[in-house]
C-alpha cells in the first residue's frame, strides 16, 4: 500500500478560511490537489485567498457566510453543492469566543458560542455527509484547542465549548460510515490575529507588555516558540488525506509539546 497525500478529485469546504489557521489549512489542502471552497464573512479577504490559490493552479472559489446565521448558511452551502458538487473534506473552524472568567459569562455568551461552534458544525456535517458516503471518502477536521485537555485560565466560555465540541466529534466518530473520518486538531499558541487579540487583552489586564506576555507563553513550549499557521495547515492537510485513513476520533495537539498530559 502506498502512502498518498494526493487530494486530486476531492472537494474541500474550509470554514473560517479568510485568515489564520483556516486560511493556512485552505492553502495546504489546495497544494495537495483538492478543489477548495473557502467560507467566511469577509468577501475581500476570501477573494484574495481564492486568487492566491488560483494563481497556484488550484480550482478555488468562496462563499460569504456567517456561522451565526445558520439558516442562511445552509442555503449558501446548498448552492455550493449544486454548483461545485459534493464536498468530501470539511474543515470546521471559526473564531474563538472572547476571553474572560466563566463566572462572568452570560448564558447568551454560552449560547452564541455553542451555536457558532457545535451547531454550525453539526448542520454542516449533516449536509455534506450524503456526498461523502456516496464517494466512500470523507474527512472532517474540527479546529478546537488544547483546552480540551487542560482548561486555559480566563477562557471560560471557550473551555466549555471546546469540551462540547470534542464530545460531539468523538460521538460522531462512532456513528459515521467507514471511509468517513472525523478528528480534532488542538492548536497551541499559533501566530494569528486571535492570538494577538488574546495577548493584548492579557497585557491590558495584567500590566505586562505584549512581549512579556509572549515570552511567558513560549517559556512553556518545549519547541521554544509560537507556531506558524502553516504548521497547523500541514497537519490538517495530512488528516484530510488518504494517508490518514485509519485516524479516527482523535484530538491531536499541535502545540510544540506544551501540554503535560499524555
Ligand atoms: P482567527 O480569529 O485568526 O480566524 C478565525 C477565522 O474564522 C477568520 O477567518 C474569521 O473571519 C472566521 N470567523 C469568525 N467568526 C465567524 C463567523 N461567525 N462566521 C464565519 N466565519 C467566522 O482565529 P485562529 O487563530 O485562526 O483560530 C482558529 C480557531 O482555533 C479558533 O477557534 C481559535 O480559538 C482556535 N485556537 C487558536 C489558537 C491560536 O493560538 N491562534 C490556539 C488555540 C485554539
Amino acid at each position: 500500500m502506498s502512502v498518498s497525500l494526493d487530494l486530486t478529485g476531492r472537494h474541500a469546504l474550509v470554514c473560517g478560511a479568510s485568515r489564520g489557521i483556516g486560511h493556512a489549512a485552505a492553502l495546504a489542502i489546495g497544494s495537495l490537489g483538492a478543489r477548495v471552497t473557502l467560507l467566511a464573512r469577509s468577501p475581500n479577504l476570501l477573494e484574495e485567498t481564492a486568487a492566491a490559490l488560483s494563481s497556484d493552479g488550484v480550482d478555488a472559489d468562496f462563499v460569504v457566510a456567517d456561522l451565526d446565521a445558520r439558516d442562511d448558511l445552509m442555503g449558501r452551502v446548498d448552492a455550493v453543492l449544486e454548483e461545485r458538487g459534493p464536498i468530501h473534506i470539511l474543515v470546521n473552524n471559526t473564531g474563538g469566543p472572547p476571553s474572560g472568567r466563566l463566572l462572568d459569562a452570560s448564558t447568551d455568551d454560552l449560547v452564541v458560542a455553542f451555536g457558532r461552534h457545535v451547531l454550525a458544525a453539526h448542520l454542516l456535517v449533516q449536509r455534506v455527509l450524503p456526498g461523502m458516503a456516496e464517494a466512500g471518502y470523507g474527512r472532517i477536521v474540527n479546529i478546537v484547542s488544547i483546552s480540551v485537555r487542560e482548561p486555559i485560565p480566563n477562557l471560560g466560555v471557550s473551555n466549555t465549548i471546546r469540551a462540547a465540541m470534542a464530545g460531539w466529534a468523538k460521538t460522531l466518530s462512532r456513528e459515521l460510515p467507514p471511509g468517513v473520518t472525523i478528528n480534532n486538531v488542538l492548536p497551541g499558541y499559533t501566530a494569528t490575529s486571535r492570538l494577538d487579540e488574546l495577548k493584548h487583552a492579557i497585557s491590558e489586564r495584567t500590566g505586562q507588555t505584549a512581549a512579556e506576555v509572549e515570552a511567558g507563553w513560549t517559556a512553556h513550549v518545549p519547541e521554544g516558540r509560537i507556531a506558524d499557521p502553516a504548521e497547523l495547515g500541514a497537519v490538517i492537510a495530512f488528516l484530510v488525506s488518504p494517508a490518514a485513513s485509519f485516524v479516527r476520533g482523535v484530538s491531536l495537539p499541535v502545540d510544540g509539546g506544551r501540554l503535560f498530559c499524555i
Side-chain angles (χ1 to χ4, degrees), residues 199 208-221 226:
K199 183 162 58 183
Q208 290 176 292
T209 64
E212 285 166 345
V213 174
E214 188 166 324
W217 285 343
T218 52
H220 297 286
V221 179
I226 282 172

Side-chain angles (χ1 to χ4, degrees), residues 15-23 39-42 45-46 65-69 73 92-97 116-117 143-147 152 155 158 162 185-198 217 226-227 229 232 258:
C15 301
S18 63
R19 60 179 199 214
I21 294 168
H23 175 267
L39 184 150
R41 293 162 303 174
S42 151
L45 292 175
L46 289 170
D66 186 337
L67 297 172
D68 291 342
L73 169 73
N92 285 313
N93 173 57
T94 183
R116 185 177 306 157
H117 288 257
I143 312 310
V144 195
S145 166
I146 53 167
S147 63
I152 299 173
L155 282 179
S158 178
R162 309 306 183 169
V185 164
L186 315 182
Y189 301 118
T190 309
T192 66
S193 21
R194 159 81 174 165
L195 196 69
D196 263 357
E197 283 159 21
L198 290 177
W217 285 343
I226 282 172
L232 276 291
R258 182 192 157 199

